[in-house]
Amino acid sequence: MSIVTDSWDDETVLAALREAQLAREAVPAEFIEAGKSAYAWHNIDAELAQLTYDSTRESAEALSVRAETAPIRALTFSSPHLTIELEVTPDSLIGQVAPAQPATVVVQPGTGAETAVPTDETGCFSIHPIPPATFRLLCRTDAGLEVLTRWITL
Amino acid sequence: MRDDPAVIALVARVGDGDQEAWDELIERFAPLVWSICVRYQLSRPDIDDVGQSVWLLLVEQIGNLREPAALPGWLATTTKRECLRVLRAARRHDHAGLPPEDQMAPETPDSMIEQEIIKAERDAALRAAFAELPPVCHELLSMLISDPAPAYAEVSVRLGMAIGSIGPTRARCLERLRRSPHLVTVLGGHAGAIEDEEPRGEHRD
């Protein structure tokens, strides 16, 4: 593959142009359309919760060396006003919002319909089954706060 | 290389909620994301999975990009990370119990990612420059880069152009392409190699 060369004569330009067109034609139209439709997620009006802890990241190196069974994965998402703790069990997601309070947790898949689960009085919830593809959680507390996690893929 | 004003303008418009700018951004960068997935030898469903994650992360993060011109690098790194995630997940799923070394995907060095970024940027700049050529140039060059390229006699018939003027038109069109402002960032620093005493367009931020 030629990167930028010092001699962009006619043949070089033509060959580079051919290569550029081929690279574009290699990408299926549906792949591009999926990218375009992702913009529907623009401008969500909620507080964003960043991933602040991921047990697999903490121990990724140790795991790849020792190849032992992964423990239950734990994730923490934190926004200025709310923390969402998640644990991934084999068949469901168990979570809790902190400070403990009643809320509704909405699972938003990248594509497809949303589902909502209520928490109990202490903010505990469970999501079953585990969302198969990329998703995020919108947590709406009864007090009126909305917090959205980053995209999650398990 | 990384401070393409076209990209900076697109990113700003995307921040303002401009779907068309977003579409343009996707058209421009989808080949980069795609080519990295191909380098990792992912299956088509896995590539779609990676693509979805990358675009969703981009929607979320694009407002926070401190340096919009660093977008190609951000996309490449994010794509690489998502490819590795998919490969790890597949490994856990299909080969539980086998030592991980035996299932590692071929080592994909950062230099490969860097190459893909450079190539994708160059390709995108060429396509942008090509798209702005006058129709006659567009048609002629399209024919000349098709595979197999038609003989001049056929080009002459299809374009209604005298055979004798195909060569000079081709040269003129390619010169226009080379002079496109889109290619300044690609050819920049190498302009001296081109016999051309005209100043290359300086790029503004």
Side-chain angles (χ1 to χ4, degrees), chain B residues 61 80 107 125 128 132 136 150 161:
Chain B
Q61 294 292 311
K80 174 187 165 178
E107 192 52 44
E132 290 175 4
V136 64
M161 187 185 284

Side-chain angles (χ1 to χ4, degrees), chain A residues 45-59:
Chain A
D45 195 18
E47 200 170 276
L48 282 181
Q50 300 289 341
L51 179 66
T52 49
Y53 174 74
D54 182 344
S55 58
T56 58
R57 293 221 180 141
E58 299 297 315
S59 56

